[in-house]
Amino acid sequence: ITASGHFCLNTVLILASSRRRRAVYLATMEISLGDGNALDKGYLLSIRVGATRRQALLETLVNQPLKFPSSIDPLAEALKIDVLQPIATSRLVLQRGVSDYQVKFDSSIAASPLALHIERPD
């Protein structure tokens, strides 16, 4: 359902077999910002529909909707909506052969580094 209340049907998957290829049509629900929002565009909107969660900055949702797989009846889906405020950010460059990292943030709120263990397939 878009901000204007429309339900969109998109081709989202093509199945291939040795004999034939066919398109499968799955219902896609799109959520974008409506008019008149007073929230700071730097906030993060997190929406969960069923088992699928999508997140984006509010400023991104002005031009690009969040897309969710949907059941046949779009009104049967319950949405969980969270508005989050980033308190710290950092970038991490992964290195070959390294799985343990200490991520430092430029923020007084997150003064301690974050320990991450990252396992990647070989």
Side-chain angles (χ1 to χ4, degrees):
I1 298 175
T2 63
S4 59
H6 293 97
F7 186 71
C8 301
L9 186 65
N10 297 333
T11 303
V12 295
L13 179 65
I14 294 181
L15 297 179
S17 68
S18 59
R19 295 183 190 159
R20 64 179 178 197
R21 296 179 76 188
R22 63 186 170 103
V24 176
Y25 291 88
L26 297 177
T28 301
M29 181 168 49
E30 295 184 357
I31 299 174
S32 57
L33 288 185
D35 295 330
N37 288 300
L39 292 174
D40 186 308
K41 299 289 190 255
Y43 288 169
L44 186 71
L45 187 66
S46 176
I47 300 177
R48 183 172 51 85
V49 179
T52 304
R53 177 178 298 279
R54 301 278 189 261
Q55 297 179 333
L57 289 173
L58 289 175
E59 66 186 358
T60 304
L61 294 174
V62 171
N63 299 317
Q64 185 176 356
L66 296 175
K67 297 181 181 183
F68 295 87
S70 181
S71 67
I72 299 302
D73 180 6
L75 301 178
E77 303 277 353
L79 281 68
K80 181 175 188 291
I81 302 167
D82 296 308
V83 177
L84 309 171
Q85 182 179 14
I87 60 168
T89 186
S90 184
R91 290 200 179 277
L92 175 64
V93 177
L94 300 181
Q95 301 170 5
R96 282 187 171 78
V98 177
S99 58
D100 293 310
Y101 296 89
Q102 294 290 319
V103 182
K104 296 178 183 172
F105 297 95
D106 293 330
S107 169
S108 60
I109 295 173
S112 299
L114 174 68
L116 292 178
H117 179 79
I118 301 173
E119 292 187 31
R120 295 176 286 182
D122 293 331

